[in-house]
Amino acid sequence: PALASDDLAGLTFIYPAGSAPPGCTYSISPSSASVGSAAASGAVTITTAAGCAWTASGASFASVSPGSGNGPGTVTYAASANTATTSRSVSLTIAGRAFLLSQQGAVPPVVPPFGAVDTPLDNASGVTGSIPVTGWALDDVEVMSVKVYRDPVSPEAAGTLVYVGDATFVPGARPDVAAAYPTTPFNTRAGWGYLLLTNVLPNRGTGVFRLHMYATDREGNQRLLGSRTITCANSTATTPFGAIDTPAQGGVVTGTTYNTFGWVLSLGPRRADPPAGGTVRVVIDGVAVGSPSGWTNRSDLTALFPASLYPGINTALGVYTFSTAGLANGLHTIAWSVVDNQSGASGIGSRYFTVTNPLTSDPASAAAAGVATPRDAVMPSLEPTAISGRRGFTLDEPLRRFRPDATGLVTVQAEEIDRIELHLAPAAADAAGPFSYEGHLRTPAGLERLPVGSTLDAATGDFTWQPGVGFVGSYDFVFTRAAGRQPAVRQDVRLVLHPKASGRVGPQVVIDTPSRQQDVGQPFVLAGWAIDPDAEVGTGVDALHMWAYPLAGGDPVFVGAAAYGGVRPDVAALHGRRFAPSGYSLTVAGLTPGNYDLAVFAWSTAAGGFAPAKTVRVTVR
């Protein structure tokens, strides 16, 4: 039956979704909005006639309030924060109309590279020749470069850093960093290094210099990793210096033969060039392979190093041709070992190069590179024994014995870019052999191949390592030896690479008085302490000679031999009781007033020669 209008009063009609009551129309403003990645809100105005009902609904990441109403009104929308880096959008229904809400993606945070500078030690003094600048750097994507700069030195323009060079990234150099950041990209090549030849710094490398190391990542973000101050004393250096020109740092070597060019010098009256009595040998992966020849001059060197100070300048440049046939494809190290005509020795030009030759079967190279041991391999039993070896670039220096501690570990102390030579064969090798040797580097991830720059002779057990820049700290090695069907045995060896010029390896000389830049009246006392921890007995030092080098020029003056053996409880507390009688002193008189570098040379019983000088600059009245 038909209903009268009065019968409809008070009833609610439900209309199909998306439709409007008869006679009602709706519009919304705005019909869309765009917000940033952070949580955001806004309002949408609904225009309609009084009594016209409507609804609103949220979706996905956006909510609305209120969810319904009657007549004209306002709906508030709220979007949650978008933590993804991609944008997103959603369509909301408000009063039957579509409202498009778009939200931007989150902007990735600016993550600059991070890391540290490990060497040189800050405020290192007495620096001469080449010194490594090393550390590590990582990033959330990739570190692209580490650049070394220095402060300007007068008359250079103040306020503008001077570019020095780019560091090299070294795979495997810093297993400690890889272990600390196991999920960070490129964590196994975090170590970096740059070899700085201080002799080419202003004033031929004499004075105070401030270095700065900056890392830059793939996105262009840059961070200062650290700064270091060094005091260089090349005007009183007693060891040779120089550089390798080829191969370039990190250069690629192909073909069966290659020419390595380089140059060597010593401060007069010393001579490092072979025509005047010096000895130079090329060392690849720690193994001496031959001697350069063709010694001549070069115009840029003669312009930089005057013959009056460096008498070997006209025969400083040499070349050596070596074969790459015996080298495995991959990364290697090369350096020149230089001994001058007064037995001063150093390594020059240490750098990495990559061999890329057609692949051939080369068992010797494979053995030298080491074979990775399975992670679950059963380790042979430990056979702790003393081993013989030497460090440094005097290749015929007498071997010394390194004895294991109570745990069977043999520890060898060395410096960055030092050459290390170990002979693993036991004393009874002739009777018990022949032996077969393998070697591995112990890392947090397990046993890995021997590091870049090392060589192990599988038949003799002779191990050499010429670590390039970037290697610093402690490295644990596991060497195994087998003989026929006998069970294999192992020897654990720890090689500790201290920062160069840290005074922690070999002879250590400290000048307590006078202090640097002090005015002294004559007579005055030159005093301090000196030891050589490499010596097996005693203090390792049995004589000290003092010289005065006038800054105005002229010949150095021999001041005298110091009295040695004064008791130093402070030294004993730091290094052990046998180093207590290590104090020295000498009363200085008779110098012409002026400015001097006072140099103290200690005779090392372990090395059988005078160690490089420790110096202090003073004004003598």
Side-chain angles (χ1 to χ4, degrees):
L3 295 176
S5 60
D6 290 344
D7 296 326
L8 302 178
L11 297 180
T12 299
F13 290 85
I14 301 176
Y15 299 93
S19 65
C24 290
T25 60
Y26 301 87
S27 65
I28 61 174
S29 178
S31 61
S32 65
S34 179
V35 297
S37 60
S41 61
V44 177
T45 300
I46 300 174
T47 302
T48 188
C52 291
W54 49 263
T55 61
S57 59
S60 184
F61 59 87
S63 61
V64 295
S65 178
S68 63
N70 192 292
T74 299
V75 171
T76 300
Y77 63 85
S80 62
N82 186 6
T83 58
T85 57
T86 56
S87 61
R88 59 187 180 180
S89 62
V90 64
S91 180
L92 307 178
T93 302
I94 300 175
R97 299 291 182 263
F99 175 78
L100 181 64
L101 178 62
S102 301
Q103 188 175 35
Q104 297 175 351
V107 178
V110 176
V111 181
F114 61 97
V117 176
D118 292 308
T119 65
L121 298 179
D122 201 16
N123 297 311
S125 61
V127 174
T128 62
S130 296
I131 187 170
V133 181
T134 68
W136 61 271
L138 288 171
D139 183 64
D140 62 331
V141 179
E142 183 182 7
V143 181
M144 301 304 294
S145 70
V146 173
K147 297 182 182 293
V148 181
Y149 298 86
R150 64 171 174 83
D151 284 348
V153 176
S154 180
E156 296 170 333
T160 302
L161 294 179
V162 179
Y163 170 73
V164 176
D166 273 57
T168 299
F169 292 99
V170 188
R174 295 301 297 268
D176 56 332
V177 177
Y181 299 92
T183 62
T184 304
F186 300 99
N187 63 339
T188 60
R189 51 143 256 181
W192 55 263
Y194 176 80
L195 188 65
L196 172 62
L197 179 59
T198 61
N199 303 79
V200 299
L201 293 173
N203 196 29
R204 287 187 289 274
T206 295
V208 179
F209 301 95
R210 181 74 170 166
L211 306 175
H212 309 276
M213 282 57 73
Y214 285 87
T216 303
D217 66 14
R218 182 173 288 279
E219 298 96 341
N221 303 312
Q222 188 178 77
R223 170 172 282 175
L224 174 66
L225 298 178
S227 301
R228 294 290 185 270
T229 297
I230 58 174
T231 301
C232 299
N234 287 297
S235 63
T236 58
T238 58
T239 53
F241 67 95
I244 294 176
D245 299 311
T246 58
Q249 179 67 270
V252 176
V253 172
T254 58
T256 56
T257 59
Y258 185 83
N259 290 329
T260 172
F261 287 88
W263 54 274
V264 300
L265 280 174
S266 275
L267 183 65
R270 294 170 175 264
R271 295 285 294 269
D273 53 308
T279 301
V280 181
R281 303 187 72 182
V282 177
V283 177
I284 297 178
D285 294 338
V287 178
V289 296
S291 298
S293 59
W295 298 97
T296 185
N297 58 37
R298 202 172 70 197
S299 58
D300 61 322
L301 298 177
T302 55
L304 185 60
F305 300 105
S308 59
L309 297 177
Y310 303 91
I313 188 62
N314 289 317
T315 49
L317 181 69
V319 60
Y320 175 75
T321 303
F322 66 88
S323 172
T324 64
L327 299 176
N329 281 348
L331 202 59
H332 299 267
T333 59
I334 185 171
W336 285 16
S337 163
V338 186
V339 181
D340 67 22
N341 61 355
Q342 295 187 31
S343 300
S346 64
I348 69 163
S350 176
R351 62 187 53 201
Y352 300 96
F353 69 99
T354 300
V355 173
T356 56
N357 284 331
L359 293 177
T360 58
S361 177
D362 188 352
S365 296
V371 179
T373 299
R375 298 291 185 266
D376 58 351
V378 176
M379 290 297 296
S381 59
L382 180 66
E383 185 188 70
T385 183
I387 60 178
S388 59
R390 56 188 155 215
R391 50 168 288 269
F393 289 90
T394 303
L395 304 186
D396 57 355
E397 181 178 326
L399 297 172
R400 56 164 297 196
R401 301 291 283 176
F402 299 98
R403 305 185 186 279
D405 62 15
T407 68
L409 177 68
V410 172
T411 300
V412 178
Q413 308 286 343
E415 283 188 339
E416 297 173 285
I417 64 170
D418 222 342
R419 177 182 178 273
I420 301 160
E421 177 182 337
L422 301 177
H423 298 270
L424 304 170
D430 292 339
F435 294 122
S436 176
Y437 292 87
E438 287 188 3
H440 303 87
L441 179 66
R442 191 189 298 273
T443 75
L447 296 182
E448 301 288 352
R449 297 177 183 273
L450 292 174
V452 172
S454 63
T455 302
L456 174 63
D457 189 310
T460 66
D462 293 345
F463 171 76
T464 56
W465 188 24
Q466 168 60 63
V469 291
F471 284 91
V472 63
S474 295
Y475 298 85
D476 288 333
F477 293 81
V478 176
F479 296 104
T480 59
R481 185 185 76 240
R485 297 184 178 180
Q486 298 296 318
V489 296
R490 83 175 196 269
Q491 175 66 68
D492 294 342
V493 177
R494 174 171 295 163
L495 300 181
V496 183
L497 301 181
H498 294 282
K500 191 172 177 65
S502 65
R504 299 176 186 173
V505 181
Q508 301 180 34
V509 179
V510 172
I511 299 174
D512 292 325
T513 182
S515 59
R516 189 166 67 94
Q517 303 294 352
Q518 182 179 348
D519 279 358
V520 292
Q522 301 184 78
F524 63 91
V525 174
L526 178 59
W529 58 270
I531 64 172
D532 188 348
D534 285 344
E536 293 191 12
V537 296
T539 65
V541 170
D542 65 1
L544 293 106
H545 288 180
M546 280 68 166
W547 291 77
Y549 290 80
L551 298 189
D555 294 333
V557 179
F558 179 63
V559 178
Y564 183 68
V567 176
R568 292 293 299 258
D570 56 334
V571 179
L574 183 63
H575 295 281
R577 287 184 296 177
R578 71 181 173 101
F579 297 105
S582 56
Y584 68 84
S585 65
L586 176 70
T587 299
V588 180
L591 291 175
T592 301
N595 297 318
Y596 292 88
D597 280 326
L598 302 179
V600 179
F601 296 87
W603 179 274
S604 165
T605 60
F610 280 107
K614 184 71 173 183
T615 63
V616 61
R617 180 164 294 181
V618 298
T619 299
V620 177
R621 297 195 301 272

